[in-house]
């Protein structure tokens, strides 16, 4: 600029250098045209005199994201050089990965000054972190060192995937055969160069001239940057001619001769005119359509490469309009695609076609209930074969995902192919990064969720207990006692006696039926009370309070008798499964043994939640062991109950439905789920897919039928479990009503009696003790009430006999004997008003009544 007063500057080739030169060009108004400074941090917005004839690195970000999405990589680690070129692309990559929900757990930044030892240390760190998917963005010099060291570290073997950006993919030609061999299986991306006669002619001329001038050179043809440089020179030449520039000079602001005085450069007279001409130049160059927009080259399609030794194999293309495709020029309108099926199958590191980053899914090895998860080894190649309900659900869920998810099942076993531990230890392997996920009958519980992330459950949840059933109660000779529980029998008996006592108190002074000798009164009272059960009482009552009490009591008796009849009829006509135990407290109180599944969290639940002693627990693995333990019972080395999750119990009862029952409350759990590392981006996708699968009734029924062979449960056993008889709470309200009614009538009657007769006892003798007064009241209560109107057995009124008539009667006459009996009846006899022997009742001579039975 200072010495030659150039019209334009082509270059520089590095983004870090271009930043300074752009500033100079902007002040001198000299166009800076770069074909190699691709960092997104450089743009025409910084200086309008910066023109980029190469594609911006950020233009490849969507193509890279499509490849990552196509192969279902939910996690990727960028490895980039710590320069302006390397750091400039990272923010764009992070944004693109975030859009497709691909996590970037770590970013490996390698400075240019790192030696091989430092680079190897960084690779070892990545290897220790169990990372296997990498995106490399660096120059050819640093990239070649990286891949050689990665091969030495064993990271170019099966299970790893490497993707390189355009900056490295376009500079593979100068790399030696050793470097190319170390990159075997790597995927790359670079701008597509369309074939043309002009390009072929140039290649022929280049090869001929370069071979003659430099016969020892290994470079046989220009790479993409060389083609961009060639087109850049042509573009500037065409722009100069179009602008009509012959010569130009700088307008200097001062005459300083300092070599570092930027202001002394002045400004180019033709700079603005040349810049405008360059930006408007458009032609078909060697690299395709040369067209600038916003001071930068318009992006074209990208090729997706697979490096196989020294060869580059194009496996597909990416365009902004159609996404991924095998053929760049396809007829018709094609929808945008991110499917790997649109690409040819690549060869991955380790010379395998098996896609890297296959999820290493740990599965438990079970000795029982293999319908849920089963592991077998193929005798031919000794590879594990996993089957079962949970495996089939997982496969269906993966098929429902919107992206491919390669995986492999790895049994959680030791060297002798035995189970390597409990389910908790299996989940610990995810935290230790030995597994990427766990699939099986793994229950979601709180303490496990601190180490792993669970998906939504895909099975029924809850813990219940299964017990042995008793024999049919219809064969029990005491079955008539079963409809009512003991406490209800006792309460009913007490109520009968209490009601009879109340009736006796209310009727004793007024009703001859409830008078007589004490034993006879007791018998009459009990007979009257209990006969109301069958409504067979014939004794008439004369007190209105008695009638009130009996109305309430007979209603209560009616309800209880009808309920008893219905319950007994049900027991005699319906075959019921009687469980041996229904109460957990009873089992724990009596110290009976209980069982649980081996290596299950249910053991901790029984100890910590239900307070069972650890020495009272027994482990079982198979349904057959469940059957034997429950059949032996509490006295023959068995158990009283087995606690398990509902899916296991249903499967067990499907085989032994007639002998066992699922009883007791349901203790809440969250069911079976798939486990992933904490923060795994796969969890929300898997959970949504689980919802889609579990809501597809036909698919779930097909999976259950394939693994369980049909129905997995008996009929609804809850309806078959007897209630143990009617209990006191069911009739508590009735007993309260009749009790209140009886007590109210009794208190009113007694209060009235005391009100009338207590003052009389005080006037007899003021010096008598309280006890004697109470005794006098009792004797008075035992006497017949003279003011009451008594009815005889036939309903006729008994009239008192005048004293004169008594005196005049002959002692041996019938009248005298009749009077004598009447007098004795007044003293407390409960015999009816019919004479003994052959005597007839007293009646009017004018209207005799026939004899009748009392």
């Amino acid at each position: 600029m200072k010495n030659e007063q150039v019209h334009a500057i082509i270059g520089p080739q590095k983004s870090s250098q271009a930043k300074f030169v752009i500033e100079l060009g902007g002040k001198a108004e000299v166009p800076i045209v770069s074909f190699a400074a691709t960092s997104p941090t450089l743009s025409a917005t910084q200086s309008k005199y910066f023109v980029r004839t190469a594609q911006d690195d950020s233009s490849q970000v969507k193509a890279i994201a499509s490849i990552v999405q196509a192969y279902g990589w939910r996690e990727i680690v960028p490895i980039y050089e710590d320069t302006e070129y390397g750091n400039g692309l990272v923010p764009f990559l992070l944004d693109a990965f975030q859009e497709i929900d691909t996590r970037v757990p770590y970013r490996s930044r390698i400075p240019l000054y790192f030696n091989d030892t430092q680079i190897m240390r960084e690779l070892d760190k990545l290897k220790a972190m169990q990372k296997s998917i990498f995106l490399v963005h660096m120059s050819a010099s640093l990239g070649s060192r990286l891949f050689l060291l990665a091969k030495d570290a064993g990271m170019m073997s099966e299970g790893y995937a490497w993707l390189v950006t355009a900056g490295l993919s376009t500079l593979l030609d100068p790399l030696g055969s050793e470097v190319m061999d170390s990159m075997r299986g790597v995927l790359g991306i670079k701008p597509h160069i369309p074939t043309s006669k002009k390009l072929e002619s140039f290649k022929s001329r280049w090869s001929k001239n370069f071979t003659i001038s430099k016969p020892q050179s290994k470079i046989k043809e220009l790479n993409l940057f060389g083609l961009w440089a060639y087109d850049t020179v042509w573009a500037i030449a065409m722009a100069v001619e179009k602008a009509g520039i012959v010569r130009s000079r700088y307008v200097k602001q001062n005459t300083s001769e300092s070599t570092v005085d930027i202001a002394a450069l002045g400004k180019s007279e033709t700079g603005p005119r040349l810049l405008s001409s360059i930006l408007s130049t458009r032609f078909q160059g060697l690299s395709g359509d040369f067209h600038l927009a916003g001071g930068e080259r318009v992006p074209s399609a990208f090729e997706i490469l697979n490096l196989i030794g020294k060869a580059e194999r194009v496996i597909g293309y990416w365009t902004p309009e159609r996404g991924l495709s095998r053929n760049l020029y396809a007829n018709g309108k094609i929808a945008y695609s991110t499917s790997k099926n649109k690409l040819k199958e690549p060869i991955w590191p380790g010379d395998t076609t098996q896609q890297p980053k296959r999820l290493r899914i740990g599965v438990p090895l079970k000795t029982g209930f293999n319908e849920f998860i089963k592991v077998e080894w193929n005798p031919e190649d000794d590879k594990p074969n996993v089957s079962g309900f949970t495996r089939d659900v997982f496969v269906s869920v993966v098929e429902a995902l919107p992206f491919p998810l390669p995986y492999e099942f790895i049994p959680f076993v030791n060297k002798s192919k035995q189970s390597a531990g409990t389910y908790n230890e299996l989940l610990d392997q995810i935290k230790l990064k030995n597994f990427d996920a766990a699939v099986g009958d793994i229950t979601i519980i709180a303490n496990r969720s601190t180490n792993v992330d669970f998906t939504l459950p895909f099975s029924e949840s809850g813990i219940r207990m299964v017990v042995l059933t008793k024999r049919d109660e219809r064969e029990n000779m005491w079955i008539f006692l079963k409809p009512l529980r003991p406490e209800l029998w006792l309460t009913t008996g007490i109520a009968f006696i209490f009601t009879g006592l109340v009736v006796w108190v209310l009727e004793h002074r007024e009703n001859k039926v409830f008078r007589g000798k004490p034993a006879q009164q007791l018998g009459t009272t009990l007979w009257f009370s209990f006969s109301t059960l069958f409504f067979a009482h014939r004794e008439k009552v004369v007190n209105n309070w008695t009638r009130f009490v009996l109305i309430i009591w007979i209603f209560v008796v009616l309800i209880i008798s009808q309920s008893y009849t219905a319950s007994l009829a049900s027991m005699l006509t319906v075959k019921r499964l009687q469980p041996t135990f229904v109460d957990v407290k009873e089992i724990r109180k009596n110290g009976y043994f209980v069982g649980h599944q081996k290596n299950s969290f249910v053991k901790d639940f029984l100890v910590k939640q239900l307070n069972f002693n650890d020495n009272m627990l027994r482990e079982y693995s198979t349904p057959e062991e469940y059957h034997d333990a429950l059949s032996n019972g509490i006295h023959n080395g068995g158990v009283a109950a087995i606690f398990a999750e509902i899916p296991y119990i249903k499967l067990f009862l499907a085989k032994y439905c007639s002998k066992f029952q699922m009883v007791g409350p349901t203790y809440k759990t969250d069911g079976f789920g798939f486990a992933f590392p904490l923060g795994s981006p796969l969890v929300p996708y898997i959970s949504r897919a689980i919802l889609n699968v579990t809501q597809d009734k036909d698919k779930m029924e097909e999976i259950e039928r394939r693994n369980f062979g049909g129905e997995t449960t008996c009929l609804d056993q809850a309806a078959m479990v007897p209630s143990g008889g009617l209990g006191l709470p069911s009739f508590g309200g009735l007993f309260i009503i009749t009790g209140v009614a009886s007590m109210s009538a009794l208190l009113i009657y007694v209060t009235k009696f005391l009100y009338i007769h207590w003052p009389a006892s005080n006037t007899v003798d003021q010096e008598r003790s309280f006890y004697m007064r109470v005794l006098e009241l009792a004797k008075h209560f035992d006497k017949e009430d003279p003011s009451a109107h008594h009815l005889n057995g036939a309903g006729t009124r008994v009239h008192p006999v005048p004293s004169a008539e008594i005196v005049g009667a002959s002692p041996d006459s019938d009248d005298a004997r009749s009077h004598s009996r009447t007098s004795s009846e007044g003293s407390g006899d409960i015999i009816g008003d019919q004479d003994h022997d052959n005597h007839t009742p007293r009646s009017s001579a004018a209207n005799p009544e026939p004899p009748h039975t009392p």
Side-chain angles (χ1 to χ4, degrees):
M1 290 181 182
K2 184 178 180 65
N3 300 328
E4 305 297 334
Q5 296 188 346
V6 295
H7 296 84
I9 294 178
I10 300 176
Q13 297 185 29
K14 294 184 178 180
S15 299
S16 57
Q17 299 168 347
K19 191 171 185 180
F20 173 72
V21 177
I22 290 172
E23 185 178 356
L24 292 178
K27 292 185 176 182
E29 296 185 356
V30 174
I32 307 298
V33 185
S34 176
F35 59 85
T38 58
S39 174
T41 58
L42 305 175
S43 67
T45 58
Q46 296 175 336
S47 174
K48 67 177 183 178
Y49 285 91
F50 173 64
V51 179
R52 179 157 40 202
T53 56
Q55 290 188 16
D56 184 353
D57 277 342
S58 62
S59 63
Q60 64 183 318
V61 167
K62 290 187 177 180
I64 293 173
S66 295
I67 296 173
V68 172
Q69 190 174 11
Y71 290 107
W73 294 330
R74 314 315 301 172
E75 191 175 86
I76 192 168
V77 174
I79 304 177
Y80 57 96
E81 65 178 50
D82 189 13
T83 61
E84 182 84 18
Y85 164 73
N87 294 322
L89 185 63
V90 173
F92 296 89
L93 289 172
L94 296 181
D95 291 342
F97 292 149
Q98 186 177 10
E99 289 181 3
I100 61 174
D101 287 336
T102 295
R103 195 162 63 103
V104 179
Y106 179 75
R107 287 179 284 176
S108 179
R109 186 167 52 188
I110 300 178
L112 294 177
Y113 61 81
F114 263 23
N115 56 35
D116 289 354
T117 302
Q118 292 171 309
I119 296 176
M120 180 62 78
R121 188 180 298 120
E122 182 68 15
L123 291 174
D124 290 338
K125 181 180 179 180
L126 294 174
K127 192 174 181 180
M129 294 170 63
Q130 301 286 331
K131 305 306 176 185
S132 58
I133 308 296
F134 305 104
L135 172 65
V136 179
H137 177 59
M138 54 182 54
S139 60
S141 58
L142 185 59
S144 60
R145 292 168 56 200
L146 175 73
F147 280 103
L148 287 173
L149 293 172
K151 183 178 181 181
D152 294 338
M155 298 175 68
M156 299 304 299
S157 58
E158 185 175 355
Y160 288 91
W162 296 82
L163 179 62
V164 297
T165 61
L168 186 55
S169 298
T170 55
L171 294 174
L172 295 176
D173 292 340
L175 303 180
S177 60
E178 185 181 4
V179 176
M180 293 295 292
D181 185 64
S182 68
M183 296 179 67
R184 187 177 184 86
V186 172
L187 293 184
I189 183 173
K190 70 177 182 180
H192 170 66
I193 301 175
T195 58
S196 64
K197 294 181 179 180
K198 187 176 182 180
L199 177 60
E200 294 299 325
S201 175
F202 173 81
K203 286 182 178 181
S204 176
R205 288 184 287 116
W206 170 270
S207 177
K208 180 179 178 181
N209 295 336
F210 203 80
T211 302
I212 296 173
S213 60
K214 294 183 179 180
Q216 304 299 325
S217 176
K218 297 180 180 180
I219 301 177
K220 303 300 181 184
E221 61 181 25
L222 283 181
N223 56 36
L224 178 64
F225 288 107
L227 298 179
W228 280 343
Y230 186 89
D231 289 344
T232 299
V233 174
W234 268 95
I236 294 177
M238 293 172 65
V240 169
E241 289 184 355
K242 185 169 61 174
I245 299 174
V246 179
R247 60 181 300 275
S248 69
R249 63 186 182 89
Y250 282 30
V251 178
K252 296 186 179 181
Q253 297 178 348
N254 54 57
T255 58
S256 173
E257 297 296 331
S258 173
T259 58
V260 295
D261 189 0
I262 298 177
L265 294 178
K267 293 184 179 180
S268 173
E269 288 182 332
T270 59
R273 188 152 42 104
L274 179 58
L275 174 65
S276 176
S277 181
I278 293 173
L279 295 178
S280 62
T281 298
R282 184 170 185 177
F283 65 97
Q284 288 295 323
L286 297 182
S287 59
D289 184 23
F290 185 91
H291 175 50
L292 301 177
E296 297 183 349
R297 185 170 187 135
V298 176
S300 61
F302 285 91
E303 294 179 355
I304 301 173
L305 309 175
N306 182 207
L307 305 185
I308 307 174
K310 297 179 182 181
E312 299 177 14
R313 174 171 168 255
V314 178
I315 62 173
Y317 300 90
W318 180 89
T319 59
E321 298 78 20
R322 294 184 299 172
L324 300 178
S325 61
R326 289 194 182 188
N327 300 314
L328 183 59
Y329 305 103
N331 297 326
K333 186 176 180 180
I334 300 177
Y336 191 90
S337 174
T338 58
S339 172
K340 70 175 182 179
N341 296 328
K342 296 293 184 178
L343 303 176
K344 298 176 183 178
E345 190 174 41
I347 303 296
W348 299 99
D351 290 332
T352 178
T353 57
Q354 294 291 333
Q355 181 180 331
K357 194 48 186 176
R358 300 168 62 86
L359 283 181
R360 298 164 301 163
I361 299 177
V363 293
L365 180 65
K366 296 174 65 70
T367 55
F369 293 98
N370 295 125
E371 292 85 353
F372 290 100
I373 192 75
K374 184 178 183 180
V375 179
E376 297 176 307
W377 274 267
N378 192 326
E380 297 180 359
D381 54 12
D382 202 35
K383 290 185 177 180
N385 181 29
V386 180
S387 60
F389 172 75
T390 57
R391 178 262 181 197
D392 290 351
V393 172
F394 180 78
V395 171
S396 298
V397 167
V398 171
E399 292 174 351
L401 291 174
F403 52 83
L405 184 65
Y407 60 87
E408 60 176 330
F409 293 116
I410 303 175
F412 182 48
V413 295
N414 53 28
K415 293 181 179 180
S416 53
K417 295 183 180 179
Q418 301 297 320
S419 177
T422 64
Y423 279 40
N424 287 341
E425 291 171 335
L426 169 61
L427 297 179
D428 288 340
Q429 300 304 308
I430 298 178
K431 184 178 181 181
L432 297 174
K433 300 180 180 179
N434 294 325
F435 291 135
D436 299 316
V439 169
D441 47 348
I442 304 171
T443 304
I444 304 171
I445 55 178
N447 64 334
R448 290 176 175 174
S449 62
T450 59
N451 296 325
V452 297
D453 276 349
F454 283 101
T455 63
L456 290 177
F458 57 87
S459 70
E460 188 175 1
S461 62
I463 299 174
R464 294 191 68 180
M465 68 175 181
V466 59
V467 298
L468 183 68
T469 57
K470 299 178 182 178
R471 62 185 178 86
D472 193 353
E473 284 291 342
R474 293 182 298 179
E475 302 174 4
N476 190 345
M477 62 183 295
W478 300 103
I479 190 174
F480 67 91
L481 296 175
K482 297 293 184 179
L484 304 184
R485 293 180 183 173
E487 67 270 18
L488 183 56
W489 278 116
L490 178 62
T491 304
T492 304
I494 294 174
F496 272 110
I497 296 174
F498 176 73
T499 303
L501 178 63
V502 172
V503 170
W504 178 81
V505 171
L506 298 176
E507 294 290 322
H508 178 68
R509 300 190 72 241
E510 303 178 17
N511 194 339
K512 287 182 284 187
V513 175
F514 291 91
R515 300 186 63 82
K517 296 179 181 180
Q520 192 168 1
Q521 292 183 54
L522 177 63
T524 301
T525 300
L526 294 177
W527 160 256
F528 179 85
S529 177
F530 283 95
S531 63
T532 57
L533 179 63
F534 311 102
F535 308 101
H537 55 288
R538 295 184 178 275
E539 292 78 9
K540 295 185 179 295
V541 295
V542 298
N543 192 302
N544 286 332
W545 288 113
T546 306
R547 295 186 180 103
F548 169 71
V549 170
L550 287 179
I551 288 174
I552 303 298
W553 172 244
I554 290 174
F555 174 73
V556 173
V557 170
L558 176 65
I559 297 298
I560 294 177
S561 61
Q562 293 297 323
S563 301
Y564 173 87
T565 303
S567 181
L568 181 61
S570 176
M571 289 182 176
L572 293 174
T573 56
V574 179
K575 183 177 180 179
R576 292 174 176 262
L577 299 176
Q578 296 270 359
T580 52
F581 298 99
V582 294
D583 190 1
V584 177
K585 296 181 180 178
E586 178 186 359
I587 299 174
R588 185 175 59 239
K589 180 180 178 181
N590 294 323
Y592 296 141
F593 286 100
V594 295
H596 63 86
Q597 191 171 175
K598 188 176 181 181
N599 294 334
S600 172
F601 77 98
V602 176
K603 179 179 180 179
D604 292 335
F605 169 80
L606 293 174
V607 174
K608 297 178 181 179
Q609 301 295 326
L610 299 186
N611 299 320
F612 279 97
N613 292 328
D614 189 66
N615 56 0
M616 302 305 295
L617 305 181
R618 293 181 174 176
E619 294 183 335
Y620 302 102
S621 299
T622 65
E624 291 72 24
E625 291 180 356
Y626 279 23
H627 174 272
D628 295 341
L630 290 170
S631 298
N632 291 336
I634 57 177
H635 301 297
N636 298 311
V639 294
I642 288 180
F643 289 84
E645 294 166 89
I646 292 176
Y648 299 117
I649 295 179
K650 286 187 174 182
L651 184 59
F652 171 71
L653 293 178
K655 298 181 179 180
Y656 305 104
C657 183
S658 61
K659 296 182 61 177
F660 307 98
Q661 277 186 285
M662 181 168 56
V663 296
T666 300
Y667 303 99
K668 182 65 178 176
T669 62
D670 287 333
F672 297 155
F674 304 128
F676 289 85
L678 289 173
S680 172
L682 287 173
V683 172
Y685 289 100
I686 297 291
S687 295
R688 284 192 287 268
I690 286 175
L691 290 178
N692 293 331
V693 172
T694 54
Q695 290 175 4
D696 189 339
K697 185 177 180 181
D698 294 337
K699 179 173 288 187
M700 288 302 296
E701 286 180 352
E702 194 276 330
I703 293 175
E704 291 177 357
R705 184 167 52 253
R706 183 167 61 244
N707 292 282
F708 302 131
E711 190 67 34
T712 58
T713 61
C714 299
L715 297 176
D716 184 10
Q717 293 184 340
M720 303 172 67
V721 176
S723 62
L726 301 172
L728 181 59
S730 303
F731 302 95
L734 293 175
F735 285 116
I736 291 175
I737 292 173
T738 186
V740 170
S742 299
M743 286 299 299
S744 300
L746 182 63
L747 288 175
I748 292 173
Y749 181 82
V750 171
T751 301
K752 182 179 179 182
F753 175 79
L754 292 176
Y755 177 78
I756 295 174
H757 297 286
W758 183 263
S761 65
N762 289 340
T763 58
V764 175
D765 191 351
Q766 297 292 335
E767 297 182 356
R768 285 188 179 184
S769 63
F770 178 79
Y771 172 75
M772 294 302 296
R773 294 178 184 180
V774 173
L775 185 61
E776 184 68 23
L777 277 175
K779 291 181 179 179
H780 193 74
F781 176 79
D782 190 51
K783 294 180 182 180
E784 182 178 10
D785 188 358
S787 63
H789 298 285
H790 301 286
L791 295 175
N792 61 11
T796 59
R797 187 178 302 278
V798 180
H799 299 279
V801 182
S803 59
E805 191 174 343
I806 296 175
V807 173
S810 172
D812 296 328
S813 66
D814 291 340
D815 291 341
R817 285 192 297 271
S818 176
H819 172 73
S820 175
R821 281 192 298 275
T822 303
S823 300
S824 65
E825 289 170 1
S827 65
D829 281 344
I830 61 172
I831 302 174
D833 56 340
Q834 181 179 356
D835 291 341
H836 292 289
D837 300 329
N838 296 323
H839 297 288
T840 60
R842 299 183 64 180
S843 60
S844 173
N847 189 19
E849 293 181 6
H852 68 277
T853 302

